[in-house]
């Protein structure tokens, strides 16, 4: 049974949102697996478990996921909330965490604590409207159906169920997660406010590679 995680609207203005900058883009509805070993992030996960709160995932523009005081860190100004699904502490000092992406947010400001953890004052962004794919996008939808069926058969699927093939935003997001495109391209696609445009761009890329017709 899922826990009643605190929505973004209730996180503010009482407290700041802890951030986890990554060399990856989290999409709403996406699955994120993390191996956590730095003290700042072990504390973050512990706090989120205790308070049943999400944290924010933002893509790195510059810098490393592991703290290095010699390197200046920059990250994107739009991220996605991550809610904890599973936390496994099989090894001392290491947590294996699975999270689900929920809502997007924009960073109004951010600051770094002495221990290296980033905190932000976020502003909520609208969720994708639930829109059915147009006829011209059916090829992209069927292509994802086929791809997921293959991954499921191999036992390697990394998508959370239920599958929402009649939701244009969900289909676009799942394609964005597996396409071999640069990080900045994934970030720009995630930021698009119109999910139909997001899937149209994905479909154009798929047609250019001969993946769909």
């Amino acid at each position: 049974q899922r826990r009643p995680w605190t929505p973004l609207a209730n996180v503010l203005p009482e407290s700041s949102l802890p951030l986890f900058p990554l060399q990856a883009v989290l999409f709403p509805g996406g699955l994120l697996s993390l191996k956590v070993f730095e003290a700042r992030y072990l504390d973050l996960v512990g706090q989120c478990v205790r308070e049943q709160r999400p944290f924010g995932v933002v893509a790195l523009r510059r810098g490393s996921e592991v703290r290095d005081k010699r390197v200046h860190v920059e990250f994107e100004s739009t991220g996605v909330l991550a809610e904890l699904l599973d936390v496994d502490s099989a090894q001392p000092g290491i947590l294996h965490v699975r999270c689900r992406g929920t809502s997007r947010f924009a960073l109004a400001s951010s600051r770094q604590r002495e221990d290296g953890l980033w905190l932000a004052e976020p502003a909520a962004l609208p969720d994708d409207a639930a829109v059915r794919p147009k006829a011209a996008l059916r090829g992209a939808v069927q292509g994802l159906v086929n791809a997921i069926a293959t991954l499921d058969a191999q036992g390697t699927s990394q998508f959370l169920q239920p599958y929402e093939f009649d939701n244009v935003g969900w289909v676009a997001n799942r394609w964005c997660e597996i396409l071999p495109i640069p990080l900045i391209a994934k970030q720009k696609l995630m930021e698009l406010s119109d999910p139909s445009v997001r899937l149209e761009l994905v479909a154009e890329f798929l047609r250019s590679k001969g993946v769909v017709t």
Side-chain angles (χ1 to χ4, degrees), residues 7 49 61 76 102 107 120 124 142 145 198:
V49 168
R61 291 180 183 170
E76 298 290 345
T102 59
L107 294 181
Q142 187 58 49
V145 171
R198 193 181 311 133

Side-chain angles (χ1 to χ4, degrees), residues 85-96:
L85 298 177
D86 304 299
V87 179
D88 180 9
S89 57
Q91 298 173 265
I94 297 178
L95 296 178
H96 293 274

Side-chain angles (χ1 to χ4, degrees), residues 11-126:
V11 173
L12 294 178
E14 292 82 0
S15 59
S16 298
L17 179 70
L19 297 180
F20 206 129
L22 293 172
Q23 292 173 334
V25 177
L26 178 62
F27 285 81
L31 176 64
L32 175 66
S33 298
L34 296 171
K35 182 179 180 180
V36 180
F37 53 88
E38 287 191 76
R40 54 177 172 168
Y41 295 133
L42 291 171
D43 291 344
L44 179 156
V45 172
Q47 179 184 359
C48 289
V49 168
R50 289 192 303 273
E51 300 179 5
Q52 298 186 2
R53 285 187 47 183
F55 59 92
V57 172
V58 288
L60 282 163
R61 291 180 183 170
R62 181 182 178 186
S64 171
E65 295 175 354
V66 178
R67 190 181 187 190
D68 185 343
K69 294 182 179 180
R70 300 167 299 176
V71 179
H72 177 66
V73 171
E74 294 180 7
F75 42 77
E76 298 290 345
S77 59
T78 302
V80 171
L81 290 181
E83 64 175 13
L84 291 170
L85 298 177
D86 304 299
V87 179
D88 180 9
S89 57
Q91 298 173 265
I94 297 178
L95 296 178
H96 293 274
V97 178
R98 292 198 324 144
C99 316
R100 182 173 74 97
T102 59
S103 300
R104 294 174 301 172
F105 62 86
L107 294 181
S109 63
S110 62
R111 66 187 186 281
Q112 191 174 29
R113 293 192 324 204
E114 286 296 320
D115 64 0
L117 183 68
W118 286 93
L119 301 172
E121 305 303 324
L125 295 174

